[in-house]
Amino acid sequence: MTKRFVFVAIIIMMMIATLFPIAVLAENETAIKGEIVNGSYLIRIPVKGNDIGWYADEAAGNMPAVKLMNSWMEDGCLVVQYDPLRDGEATISIRHFYCDIACDQAHTWDLTVRDGKIQEVTGGSYTAVLPEEEVSPLLAGRWVQKDTQFTQMTITKNPEMGWNVEIISPLTHGAYRMTTTIYQDCYEGAFLYSQGMRDELPADYSEEMDLGEPDAVTSAGRFKLGGTEGTLTLTWTAEDMSEEAIVFEHVTE
């Protein structure tokens, strides 16, 4: 697979949740079925083995027209029930988490409530992550802070799942090193991590130096893919805003 195709595919992955029409969802994801029953909306999700990764979200918005009422197992399926609250429109979503922090599938349905009942499904979406072996050629490697090259980042494939990240700033005279493992998430359209390990670096730091236990554990964060085919970027943002967002550019060997 060419780098051009992988880049286009990843960008599509990051955008597809807002673009997929319900007709395509129905054609490609026939295993998951939804139906209106007595004014409520029931979704049946086949569950394989001991899979506990499925999660149903509350309806989006401050005053949604529907409410997540109940969920239960029945005949090998997770059944999720949404009930009407008030007339109007609502979007509901169900995600499948393949690790603690990231989901590899996300489904949404747009519902219409009239006369106190869910009357119809007007739209929806489906998105999924790409195989990691298709993402690695663009993600793995060396990255540098855009314009200044002050902060540098190295990404390598984790043997089990996700990618290991090492960020060093500034490279020449100390500051810090942050390490973590990131996972692609199709719902957020980003690469997520739950926490990082941060070391304060001495002025004579070298890669061979043993720093021992990390000085601090940082909060969660994310990396957002962007740029163009010729110049890929990853924007790093910490959830607690303890670090200013940094835009990295991929270094082409």
Side-chain angles (χ1 to χ4, degrees):
M1 179 176 289
T2 66
K3 286 189 175 182
R4 173 184 174 85
F5 183 85
V6 174
F7 172 74
V8 173
I10 293 176
I11 294 299
I12 291 174
M13 177 191 72
M14 300 305 180
M15 298 173 59
I16 198 169
T18 59
L19 300 179
F20 237 115
I22 193 67
V24 178
L25 169 68
E27 179 182 347
N28 290 284
E29 288 297 310
T30 56
I32 297 179
K33 299 180 180 179
E35 61 177 335
I36 298 172
V37 179
N38 298 325
S40 298
Y41 195 67
L42 300 185
I43 301 168
R44 298 181 64 87
I45 306 168
V47 175
K48 298 180 180 180
N50 297 319
D51 185 1
I52 57 173
W54 289 104
Y55 177 83
D57 293 298
E58 291 287 352
N62 294 326
M63 296 184 63
V66 304
K67 177 180 178 58
L68 174 60
M69 184 55 60
N70 198 7
S71 63
W72 66 93
M73 291 298 300
E74 181 180 289
D75 298 330
C77 292
L78 173 66
V79 183
V80 180
Q81 177 180 334
Y82 286 88
D83 283 357
L85 280 178
R86 57 184 59 86
D87 286 3
E89 308 291 330
T91 297
I92 59 174
S93 60
I94 293 179
R95 294 176 281 167
H96 182 266
F97 285 79
Y98 68 101
C99 64
D100 290 343
I101 63 169
C103 62
D104 57 359
Q105 294 183 57
H107 305 256
T108 72
W109 292 262
D110 300 324
L111 307 177
T112 297
V113 179
R114 290 194 306 270
D115 302 325
K117 294 182 179 182
I118 297 174
Q119 301 282 2
E120 60 180 331
V121 182
T122 59
S125 66
Y126 167 72
T127 185
V129 300
L130 291 171
E132 291 189 343
E133 59 268 23
E134 296 183 12
V135 179
S136 281
L138 289 183
L139 193 62
R142 192 162 67 92
W143 300 72
V144 296
Q145 186 172 359
K146 185 177 180 180
D147 299 327
T148 66
Q149 299 187 357
F150 188 67
T151 303
Q152 302 198 16
M153 175 171 65
T154 302
I155 300 178
T156 57
K157 183 69 184 72
N158 185 290
E160 297 180 359
M161 186 187 300
W163 295 265
N164 296 329
V165 175
E166 179 187 63
I167 296 174
I168 298 178
S169 177
L171 189 61
T172 55
H173 52 86
Y176 68 87
R177 180 184 72 173
M178 197 280 284
T179 58
T180 190
T181 301
I182 60 175
Y183 306 90
Q184 56 178 329
D185 182 280
C186 63
Y187 189 76
E188 300 289 342
F191 298 89
L192 310 180
Y193 65 92
S194 59
Q195 63 180 25
M197 301 298 174
R198 182 182 174 112
D199 293 290
E200 302 301 324
L201 301 183
D204 60 348
Y205 169 75
S206 67
E207 293 183 0
E208 294 76 23
M209 186 176 295
D210 183 8
L211 297 175
E213 294 296 320
D215 297 316
V217 177
T218 69
S219 67
R222 68 187 56 217
F223 291 84
K224 189 81 171 182
L225 185 69
T228 65
E229 180 188 346
T231 307
L232 291 179
T233 63
L234 277 173
T235 301
W236 173 36
T237 307
E239 282 190 0
D240 65 357
M241 304 301 291
S242 58
E243 304 288 347
E244 183 179 353
I246 296 178
V247 179
F248 293 93
E249 289 183 333
H250 206 182
V251 176
T252 304
E253 300 298 338

